Amino acid sequence: PQRQPQGEESLWWLWVFTGEEQTVFRVEPRRNRDVVQRVLSSDYDGVLVSDCLNIYDDATPVQQKCYAHHLKAISTAQGDYEAKAGESSSYLSAVKGLLIGAKALEKAKPDLPESQTKKCRDALESKADRLLAPGRADSLTEIEDKIRRRLRKQRDHLFVFLDHEKVPATNNRAERQLRPAVIRRKLSCGNRTPRGAKAFERMASVMETCVQQGRSVVARNLGVAERRVGLED
C-alpha cells in the first residue's frame, strides 16, 4: 500500500513491472487485473512472472508463477502437518522435490543433449500429473490437499520458465526493484495528491531503468550545461 491523497482513499497500491532492461512503477487506487492489462496492453506477447494472487489469472496468455512463493507455502504446510501428525508428509516432500527437480533441470540444460533434456522434462510433466491429479484428494489430509489444489490451479504455469531462457522461476527481480521504492515511500510518508503520485512513479521508473541500463539520469542535462558555458565563454 502507498499512502495517498487526503480526502480520498488513504491507501493506494504501489506496483512494479520489471524486466532485464526496464522498470515501470505505478501508483494506483486499486489492486486488480485492470491495472495489469492497462500497463501490459491486451496484445502483450511476453511471459508474466508473478505470485499466485488471483488478479493475475488470465491477465496474459503465458505466465510463470513464482517458485519462491510455492516453496514457502509447501514449507508452511509441512510445518503444520508435522505439528498435527508428529511426522513429515511424504506427499509434501514429493511436491517440493518436483519443484526442486525443475530448478535442477534449468541449471543443467546448457550441458545436456536435447534428447536428455526432453526426457527429463517429460518425467517432470508426468510426475506433476500424478501428484496433482484430482483423485489424489481421496488419500490426502486437508493440509496436503490445499497444496495440491494450489499447484493444480497453476498447473499450466509450473514449468514455463524451462521453455524460455530469460524467464526466471521466481519474481525475485520485481521484489528487489520494489524494495528501494518502498523505502523512499516510508521516508517521505507517501504522496499526498494524484499529481505527486504521477511524479513519483515517473521519476522512479526513469531512475531504476537507467540503473539497469548503466546510464546516468543526469548526464545529458549536464552535457547541455557544459556546452552552454563554453559558448558564453
Side-chain angles (χ1 to χ4, degrees), residues 15 29 48 119 152 196 198 216:
W15 294 71
L48 176 64
K119 183 178 180 180
R152 182 169 179 79
K198 282 293 181 186
S216 170

Side-chain angles (χ1 to χ4, degrees), residues 121-135:
R121 174 65 182 272
D122 290 345
L124 284 172
E125 297 284 1
S126 296
K127 184 176 181 180
D129 289 339
R130 292 195 305 272
L131 288 173
L132 306 180

Side-chain angles (χ1 to χ4, degrees), residues 1-2 14 16 25 175-190 200:
Q2 168 90 0
L14 176 61
V16 59
F25 288 96
E175 299 283 354
R176 289 193 298 268
Q177 290 295 76
L178 188 60
R179 196 169 295 123
V182 169
I183 293 173
R184 287 195 291 268
R185 176 200 64 188
K186 289 182 177 180
L187 294 175
S188 66
C189 298
F200 170 84

Side-chain angles (χ1 to χ4, degrees), residues 48-110:
L48 176 64
V49 184
S50 72
D51 59 27
C52 294
L53 193 66
N54 60 10
I55 64 172
Y56 300 112
D57 293 346
D58 301 321
T60 64
V62 186
Q63 300 185 23
Q64 169 66 47
K65 297 302 180 182
C66 177
Y67 268 34
H69 286 80
H70 284 326
L71 290 170
K72 182 177 180 180
I74 294 169
S75 178
T76 298
Q78 187 70 275
D80 293 341
Y81 186 95
E82 290 175 357
K84 187 173 183 178
E87 60 182 3
S88 297
S89 162
S90 59
Y91 175 77
L92 294 176
S93 295
V95 172
K96 181 179 179 179
L98 173 71
L99 302 188
I100 292 175
K103 284 291 293 175
L105 177 57
E106 177 194 34
K107 186 176 181 180
K109 272 181 66 175

Side-chain angles (χ1 to χ4, degrees), residues 9 11-13 15 27-32 34-35 38:
E9 291 191 19
L11 292 178
W12 285 21
W13 292 93
W15 294 71
V27 181
E28 297 281 348
R30 298 287 183 269
R31 192 186 188 192
N32 57 26
D34 178 63
V35 177
R38 277 193 287 111

